Amino acid sequence: MNHKVGMISLGCPKNLVDGEMMLAKLRQAGFQIVTDVDEADAIIVNTCGFIEDAKKEAIDNILEMAQLKQEGTIRAVVVTGCLAERYREEVKKEIPEVDAVIGIGKNADIAQVVTDALAGTQTEAFPPKDRLCMNGERVLATPPFWAYLRIADGCDNRCSYCAIPMIRGRFRSRPMEEILEEAKTLVKNGAKELILIAQDTTRYGEDLYGELRLPLLLRELCKIDGLSWLRLLYCYPDRITDELLSVMAQEEKVLPYLDLPLQHADSAILRAMNRTGDRRSLTKLIQHIREMVPDVTLRTTLIVGFPGEGGKEFATLAQFIKDVRFDHLGCFTYSPEEGTPAAAMGSQVPEDVKQRRQEIIMEEQSRIVERRLKSKKGKTMPVLVEGFDAYAECWYGRTAADAPDIDGKVFFHVKAPVSPGDLLPVTVTGYLDYDLVGEEAEDGPRKS
């Protein structure tokens, strides 16, 4: 079989891992994987369907591929991922040029689905979500020196604004043995950094073992020779335990980096979101984390304009941001999602008010970030080299305080040749927007 297939993968890292596993299935079946759409016989659009902007991006990409099919550039269009799982019949009905729409439980059969699509046979299939395979070969879409490591899928948190439980199903942890085996393979193939992902990484193990086992998993991962960095994303605040923080403080490979999607700080809004806590308890949690994990980097995401958020509730959130001073912060306007409890709530906030509140939060965060970047001048820190910027005529990479694609970078000059994936010490000399600028330290050790 010499058919060529390409993929457009949208949305979060969890969806990207699904895409990487589907590409491996296709390669095993004899397909040639291509990155140029014009070279492909079939294109898979691996969609996100989480919020309105993501749905629009997915639909725009599907329509673009449908147009290429009509023009004869490609022969088949297959839609996978969260939008396909969530909207099922609507995708094919609204965009008839699509040849196949499959839910996440059908991902393992992607080679047959694409084969059928190229032969003119259409597929619409939505097996149970728990049939999603989380173990197997992947064709990495990330550079070889870092990779995502999925430890669970689905979610049981049931936040009132979120469609993820409807789309991905119940929370399901992977057996620890599977995760460790995959991690060893990734490191053997060149990964220096592994980034742990799930809808809620802190819940890992609860369903399989009857207890939270993220701390134990981290300790076992740290035993892998050749691994330099372990990073945690998507940590639920209710399950940040002292055991987890102790592991972060004690294990050199576990980066002092926590991604805590808090969403809000006002008690009434958090209750309406079906989340716990308030400004006082969340501030106390942040203080406790900083006490237990020195130099920790904290990232969060927020939602403004949730139903019932008036001036008082927003002021609570804004003051919380000023007081706590997160290192990294993303702020989204509330998007009512069909089928979620929040979409049916009264007191919906006008769109222009949401937008203004988002701007206020991000303006404050930009001031916080500027102060943080200024404080780093003169400091020397390890940097994972990612590549060379021909325009800036220097190398760039990331520190332990920066996750790929969502945080900042470091642009720096070197004393001798380097390669992507190297770890080397860089002394910060300044900053530009959200990025640091520096020079390789004179006498610091390199690690290839």
Side-chain angles (χ1 to χ4, degrees):
M1 183 186 296
N2 294 314
H3 290 313
K4 298 178 180 179
V5 62
M7 176 179 286
I8 299 169
S9 193
L10 307 170
C12 71
K14 300 175 287 293
N15 202 45
L16 179 66
V17 171
D18 284 346
E20 291 173 337
M21 294 185 71
M22 285 190 281
L23 289 175
K25 293 285 186 186
L26 289 160
R27 188 172 65 182
Q28 291 164 7
F31 283 91
Q32 181 181 344
I33 309 301
V34 296
T35 56
D36 189 339
V37 170
D38 293 337
E39 295 180 4
D41 298 305
I43 288 292
I44 299 165
V45 185
N46 189 34
T47 61
C48 176
F50 180 44
I51 58 175
E52 193 61 36
D53 287 347
K55 289 185 285 187
K56 184 178 184 303
E57 182 185 24
I59 292 167
D60 287 346
N61 274 274
I62 297 168
L63 288 171
E64 185 179 346
M65 294 306 105
Q67 181 64 35
L68 290 179
K69 180 186 172 185
Q70 285 184 320
E71 294 170 357
T73 304
I74 60 177
R75 291 169 47 198
V77 180
V78 176
V79 180
T80 64
C82 291
L83 186 84
E85 182 69 55
R86 187 175 182 187
Y87 292 101
R88 301 193 173 192
E89 296 85 3
E90 289 95 326
V91 175
K92 190 76 177 68
K93 180 180 177 182
E94 297 298 327
I95 312 175
E97 294 85 359
V98 169
D99 299 277
V101 185
I102 63 169
I104 60 174
K106 189 71 171 173
N107 283 4
D109 300 322
I110 188 64
Q112 188 60 54
V113 171
V114 175
T115 299
D116 290 345
L118 288 168
T121 301
Q122 300 193 341
T123 303
E124 291 182 75
F126 305 93
K129 299 171 179 58
D130 59 9
R131 290 190 188 175
L132 173 72
C133 182
M134 291 188 278
N135 190 46
E137 187 181 341
R138 294 159 57 188
V139 174
L140 292 186
T142 58
F145 49 86
W146 68 267
Y148 293 111
L149 182 62
R150 176 168 52 190
I151 64 174
D153 199 75
C155 189
D156 288 344
N157 289 335
R158 302 287 171 180
C159 300
S160 65
Y161 53 83
C162 184
I164 290 296
M166 293 188 291
I167 299 170
R168 308 294 297 197
R170 297 293 304 271
F171 183 83
R172 306 179 301 284
S173 298
R174 293 178 66 188
M176 192 176 297
E177 296 78 13
E178 278 187 9
I179 298 171
L180 293 172
E181 193 61 37
E182 181 177 6
K184 290 173 185 175
T185 300
L186 290 168
V187 172
K188 183 180 178 181
N189 291 336
K192 297 284 200 329
E193 177 184 13
L194 295 179
I195 303 171
L196 273 59
I197 56 170
Q199 265 71 30
D200 176 2
T201 54
T202 43
R203 197 167 199 146
Y204 174 73
E206 186 180 67
D207 56 320
L208 272 185
Y209 307 111
E211 62 182 12
L212 302 178
R213 286 208 177 174
L214 180 59
L216 177 59
L217 175 62
L218 289 171
R219 289 199 187 277
E220 292 300 313
L221 288 167
C222 286
K223 297 176 183 177
I224 299 175
D225 291 335
L227 176 63
S228 298
W229 287 358
L230 276 169
R231 189 183 302 274
L232 281 174
L233 296 185
Y234 316 124
C235 300
Y236 200 72
D238 287 16
R239 284 179 276 276
I240 299 294
T241 64
D242 281 1
E243 183 185 10
L244 175 60
L245 296 176
S246 294
V247 170
M248 294 185 71
Q250 295 164 6
E251 294 285 357
E252 185 179 349
K253 293 181 180 181
V254 180
L255 298 179
Y257 180 105
L258 267 179
D259 176 271
L260 289 166
L262 298 180
Q263 313 306 357
H264 216 280
D266 180 81
S267 59
I269 297 299
L270 286 168
R271 283 197 303 273
M273 289 178 167
N274 196 31
R275 297 174 70 96
T276 60
D278 53 26
R279 176 181 163 191
R280 182 178 178 182
S281 65
L282 292 175
T283 300
K284 186 176 180 181
L285 171 65
I286 300 303
Q287 290 171 341
H288 184 62
I289 293 170
R290 286 173 169 158
E291 288 168 1
M292 287 199 66
V293 186
D295 300 320
V296 68
T297 295
L298 293 176
R299 155 171 278 282
T300 196
T301 50
L302 305 173
I303 297 173
V304 292
F306 189 81
E309 184 193 68
K312 174 176 172 291
E313 291 78 14
F314 176 70
T316 298
L317 177 63
Q319 189 60 51
F320 173 72
I321 296 309
K322 290 181 181 180
D323 293 343
V324 170
R325 299 191 176 188
F326 289 95
D327 300 279
H328 304 294
L329 183 149
C331 184
F332 300 90
T333 57
Y334 168 70
S335 169
E337 298 299 316
E338 304 98 317
T340 63
M345 290 179 180
S347 303
Q348 296 284 334
V349 178
E351 202 61 39
D352 61 332
V353 176
K354 295 180 192 177
Q355 294 291 339
R356 180 57 188 147
R357 289 176 180 173
Q358 180 190 46
E359 291 169 5
I360 291 170
I361 293 294
M362 293 313 298
E363 285 168 3
E364 177 59 34
Q365 180 62 19
S366 69
R367 289 188 283 270
I368 293 169
V369 169
E370 185 173 14
R371 289 192 291 270
R372 181 177 68 86
L373 295 178
K374 279 183 178 178
S375 72
K376 293 185 180 294
K377 187 174 181 180
K379 293 183 178 179
T380 299
M381 57 194 73
V383 169
L384 181 65
V385 180
E386 293 188 304
F388 186 79
D389 188 313
Y391 179 78
E393 297 184 334
C394 65
W395 290 85
Y396 64 90
R398 292 181 290 108
T399 71
D402 299 293
D405 299 329
I406 53 175
D407 297 331
K409 294 186 180 297
V410 184
F411 292 86
F412 57 93
H413 296 281
V414 298
K415 308 297 181 185
V418 296
S419 299
D422 289 351
L423 270 168
L424 73 162
V426 171
T427 301
V428 177
T429 57
Y431 66 95
L432 183 64
D433 296 326
Y434 279 77
D435 301 315
L436 293 170
V437 178
E439 301 279 347
E440 182 183 1
E442 290 288 347
D443 302 315
R446 288 183 171 196
K447 186 176 179 182
S448 298

